[in-house]
Amino acid sequence: QVQLEESGGGLVQPGGSLRLSCAASGSIFSINAMAWYRQVPGKQRELVAAITSGGSTNYADSVQGRFTISRDNAKNTVYLQMNSLKPEDTAVYYCNADLRKRLTLPSDTYWGQGTQVTVSS
């Protein structure tokens, strides 16, 4: 069993900051890429930021320069530091991990339950 547990969402004023965390636990042999996605009602889930096991990152154009993704491999945890938040960043943010439960098994994708981020005055 593998679980991804997110934390850190909430209500923040425009221009403010939040830090999301996502910890993977359970039967894990190795984790490849980890990522954050977000979704608003009526729209498709979109990639916000991703990071490989080696630390290479990529970002959606809309968050480039404002958000920073990082990870702690020893803790199986990925973070998303969000600065200069805008109302259009309001969404449910989901953690995603591509991981392998055993050496002999192929990797698979797992999702967290989501955490709400609301940017409003």
Side-chain angles (χ1 to χ4, degrees):
Q1 193 80 351
V2 173
Q3 288 186 324
L4 299 183
E5 185 171 357
E6 298 130 335
S7 61
L11 172 65
V12 63
Q13 292 186 341
S17 298
L18 280 176
R19 188 192 194 209
L20 305 183
S21 300
C22 172
S25 62
S27 179
I28 300 171
F29 174 75
S30 65
I31 302 178
N32 302 320
M34 302 185 81
W36 289 95
Y37 286 73
R38 65 187 181 187
Q39 189 171 24
V40 297
K43 291 190 175 182
Q44 284 190 330
R45 193 171 295 188
E46 64 172 359
L47 175 67
V48 175
I51 185 168
T52 67
S53 57
S56 296
T57 59
N58 68 284
Y59 297 90
D61 289 344
S62 59
V63 306
Q64 183 77 43
R66 299 187 298 121
F67 291 9
T68 302
I69 189 171
S70 61
R71 63 190 282 176
D72 184 333
N73 291 330
K75 295 181 180 180
N76 288 340
T77 299
V78 63
Y79 306 96
L80 185 67
Q81 177 66 43
M82 305 185 292
N83 299 328
S84 302
L85 282 160
K86 304 176 181 179
E88 50 264 43
D89 294 317
T90 295
V92 177
Y93 283 71
Y94 295 91
C95 173
N96 168 286
D98 179 66
L99 62 86
R100 182 175 291 184
K101 295 174 69 174
R102 296 179 185 174
L103 176 62
T104 55
L105 293 176
S107 61
D108 203 351
T109 298
Y110 294 83
W111 292 90
Q113 79 286 355
T115 184
Q116 177 70 46
V117 171
T118 302
V119 185
S120 175
S121 54

